[in-house]
């Protein structure tokens, strides 16, 4: 009830995995770790749905509904009568926002 | 595809002076399709001022590097190639991290947005990477077929697709540019280098731009409240905004609960207590007015702080869309009801004062 982040849209088909290790390399949250014969989903609830693993898996063993976890973008899409999921971050806007960080590269948002 | 070994090395390539580029870049084969810029690893005072302006949100879209290929040091056909975004903070972090390494930097056009955000939007993506590899003539410049991307660019790039279209192998470097020297020494990134962190320093650098975004409405609210309800109410408005935009990022890991909204409600509640205590004891007011004023503070301040805290999800690399959506449905109605009830109490107090009831 008080943790909204326990479930996500990450799905993994272990039977397809060829154990290339790419998902472990690209995941910034250590969700996948290398295993003996296949990747191991070690921390699925840490997934923030960035989509890097699915996009870089050569055999489509992973799927995830990737999207921008920016509340402002979603609320603003809803206020404009649009689908909340349709809202990509709009940091390209003139006013911009937090999208200005460097090496850490915080997530995008399209504030104000 | 041109083999650089079969080519004469030009005495000096067709460099352009763009962005951080300066001197001419040598060791580049003649016949290179596009001009190559030269970058240095030193970050100047002017660069640092640019970083400060970027962090304050000043001329937000103006912190750009010209997209294209740059050489750093004296790279040859076997030197590594790094990719970056055309955002000055991303580019400067990379070029300063690889000081002393002779290499190429391929700057993608991300519209002046950092790697992580641009990857999420797809501008730091497969198509742009393929386009830049081709337009800069990279296949004719390096003998190997490997390009090192920042790991946080992975949400926008499909390595099998890049390989298929350009024969270049994409490898992902560490999350933090600062780990690049060790990555280059070991030829691989450790699990620690692959995990994103969000230490105090990274959280604090976000606070100025967060505060600047809401400074104007906060100031307007503070001025209005000053004339309607006095300096304490005005200060309460400022405190709620500072709590949501400065204290919240700083204290993020230390506030119990996982959701941003509940963290914000807790922080806002703590900030509201002294104001509520003050309003509850204003001497000449009747008890009900004291209680209403204290109640208004306890309702409005946490709601404002929690809303600002929820909006911070977009500044982190931790909040999934599914989770944020759940937070919005769970807590935004609560915040709206709290703020609405607090405003009604405030209006009742204002009307009572206007008609001399209190
Ligand atoms: S990227 Fe795909 S194939 Fe490679 S280890 Fe991960 S799941 Fe397996
Ligand atoms: S979507 Fe992103 S965070 Fe989730 S498992 Fe894949 S790479 Fe990791």
């Amino acid at each position: 009830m008080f943790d909204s982040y326990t479930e996500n849209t990450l799905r993994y088909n272990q039977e397809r995995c060829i154990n290339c290790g790419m998902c472990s390399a690209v995941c910034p949250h250590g969700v996948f770790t290398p295993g003996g014969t296949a990747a191991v989903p070690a921390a699925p609830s840490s997934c923030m749905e960035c989509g890097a693993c699915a996009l870089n898996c050569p055999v489509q063993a992973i799927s995830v509904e990737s999207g921008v976890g920016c509340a402002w973008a979603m609320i603003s899409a809803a206020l404009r009568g649009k689908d909340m999921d349709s809202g990509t971050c709009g940091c390209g806007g003139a006013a911009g926002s937090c999208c200005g960080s460097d090496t850490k590269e915080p997530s995008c948002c399209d504030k104000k | 595809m041109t083999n650089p070994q079969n080519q004469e090395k030009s005495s000096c390539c067709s460099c352009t002076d763009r962005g951080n580029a300066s001197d001419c870049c040598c060791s580049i084969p003649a016949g290179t399709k596009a001009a190559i810029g030269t970058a240095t690893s030193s970050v100047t005072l002017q660069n640092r001022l640019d970083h400060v302006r970027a962090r304050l949100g000043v001329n937000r879209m103006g912190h750009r590097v010209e997209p294209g290929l740059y050489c750093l040091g004296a790279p040859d056909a076997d030197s590594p190639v790094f990719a970056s975004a055309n955002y000055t903070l991303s580019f400067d972090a990379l070029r300063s991290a690889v000081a002393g390494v002779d290499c190429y930097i391929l700057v993608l056009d991300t519209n002046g947005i950092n790697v992580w955000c641009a990857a999420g939007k797809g501008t730091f993506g497969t198509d742009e990477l393929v386009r830049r590899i081709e337009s800069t003539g990279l296949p004719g410049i390096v003998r190997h077929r490997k390009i090192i991307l920042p790991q946080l660019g992975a949400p926008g790039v499909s390595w099998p697709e890049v390989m298929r279209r350009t024969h270049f192998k994409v490898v992902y470097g560490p999350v933090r540019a600062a780990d690049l020297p060790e990555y280059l020494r070991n030829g691989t990134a450790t699990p620690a280098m692959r995990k994103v962190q969000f230490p105090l320093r990274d959280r604090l650098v976000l606070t100025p731009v967060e505060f600047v975004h809401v400074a104007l409405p906060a100031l307007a609210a503070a001025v209005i409240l000053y004339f309607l309800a006095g300096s304490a109410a005005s200060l309460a408005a400022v405190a709620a905004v500072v709590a949501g935009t400065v204290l919240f990022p700083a204290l993020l890991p230390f506030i119990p609960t996982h959701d941003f909204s509940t963290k914000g409600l807790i922080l806002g509640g703590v900030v509201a207590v002294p104001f509520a205590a003050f309003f509850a004891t204003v001497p000449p007011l009747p008890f009900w007015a004291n209680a209403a004023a204290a109640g208004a503070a306890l309702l409005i301040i946490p709601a404002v702080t929690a809303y600002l805290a929820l909006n911070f999800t977009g500044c982190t690399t931790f909040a999934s869309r599914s989770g944020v959506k759940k937070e919005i449905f769970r807590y935004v109605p609560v915040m709206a009801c709290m703020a609405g009830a607090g405003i009604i109490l405030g209006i009742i107090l204002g009307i009572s004062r206007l008609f001399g009831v209190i």
Side-chain angles (χ1 to χ4, degrees), chain A residues 12 17-23 39 57-59 61-62:
Chain A
Y12 170 49
C17 176
I18 56 167
N19 210 18
C20 71
M22 196 47 122
C23 51
C57 175
V59 292
I62 303 171

Side-chain angles (χ1 to χ4, degrees), chain A residues 22 26 56, chain B residues 149-151 153-154 157-159 170-174 183 194:
Chain A
M22 196 47 122
V26 296
N56 285 279
Chain B
L149 263 62
Q151 188 191 317
V157 175
S158 160
W159 77 261
V170 166
V171 295
Y172 291 105
Y183 169 83
R194 295 238 169 265

Side-chain angles (χ1 to χ4, degrees), chain B residues 25-340:
Chain B
C25 175
C26 299
S27 310
I28 303 299
T32 297
K33 266 200 229 165
I36 301 178
T38 302
T40 66
S41 285
S42 55
V43 176
T44 63
L45 181 65
Q46 204 179 352
N47 295 144
R48 293 196 191 283
L49 286 174
D50 170 78
H51 299 172
V52 170
R53 282 197 296 271
R55 295 203 184 284
L56 286 169
V58 179
N59 187 19
R60 171 62 198 92
M61 304 311 292
H63 308 278
R64 299 182 188 215
V65 182
E66 185 71 25
L69 188 65
Y70 292 83
C71 56
L72 196 70
D76 59 24
D78 295 314
S79 299
V81 181
F82 298 95
S84 186
N86 79 322
Y87 177 53
T88 51
L89 268 77
S90 302
F91 181 71
D92 292 352
L94 171 60
R95 69 189 176 92
S96 57
V98 292
V101 178
D102 296 322
C103 61
Y104 298 98
I105 299 178
L106 186 67
V107 176
L108 309 195
D109 186 358
T110 61
N111 300 317
I113 302 290
N114 71 58
V115 172
W116 173 254
C117 295
K121 290 163 74 78
T123 44
F124 190 101
T126 306
D127 289 342
E128 171 62 9
L129 180 58
V130 169
R131 195 177 313 128
R132 284 293 151 195
I133 289 172
E134 287 168 354
S135 69
T136 55
L138 191 62
I141 293 170
V142 290
R143 190 168 16 222
H144 59 79
R145 289 290 174 266
K146 187 169 104 174
I147 183 158
I148 303 169
L149 263 62
Q151 188 191 317
L152 291 183
V157 175
S158 160
W159 77 261
E161 179 77 3
V162 176
M163 172 72 102
R164 191 181 61 75
R165 289 166 62 181
T166 65
H167 304 295
F168 267 80
K169 182 183 177 191
V170 166
V171 295
Y172 291 105
V175 165
R176 289 165 295 277
D179 288 330
L180 272 170
E182 198 187 332
Y183 169 83
L184 290 172
R185 260 195 311 277
N186 302 336
T188 181
T190 62
M193 287 183 207
R194 295 238 169 265
K195 278 192 98 170
V196 78
Q197 309 288 340
F198 204 22
L200 182 66
R201 186 186 167 279
D202 287 345
R203 299 197 304 276
L204 286 183
V205 294
L206 293 171
T207 58
V209 77
E210 285 296 291
F211 182 73
V212 164
H213 277 131
V214 287
L216 213 57
L219 186 69
V223 170
I224 292 167
L225 280 170
Y226 179 81
F227 288 111
L228 288 181
S231 52
S234 172
L235 191 62
V238 175
V241 171
V242 170
T245 57
V246 180
L247 280 184
F248 179 78
L251 300 175
L252 183 69
F254 309 109
I255 308 172
T257 79
H258 196 278
D259 288 356
F260 287 65
S261 313
T262 46
K263 279 175 187 279
L265 284 171
I266 292 170
L267 180 64
V270 171
V271 171
V273 167
F275 289 101
F278 175 80
F279 293 136
T281 52
V282 175
L285 293 182
F287 172 76
W288 71 265
N290 281 137
L298 287 171
L299 287 165
I300 296 175
I301 295 174
V304 171
T305 305
Y307 183 72
L308 295 171
L310 175 60
N311 281 319
F312 197 68
T313 56
C315 303
T316 75
T317 43
F318 292 87
S320 65
R321 187 176 59 180
S322 302
V324 172
K325 212 194 295 183
K326 275 188 204 133
E327 280 216 52
I328 290 171
F329 284 118
R330 275 177 185 166
Y331 304 114
V332 169
V334 176
M335 293 172 203
C337 288
M338 285 173 69

Side-chain angles (χ1 to χ4, degrees), chain A residues 10 23 26-29 31-32 46-54 64:
Chain A
L10 181 71
C23 51
V26 296
C27 180
H29 291 290
V31 170
F32 287 98
S46 300
C47 174
M48 50 87 61
E49 299 176 334
C50 71
C53 53
V64 65

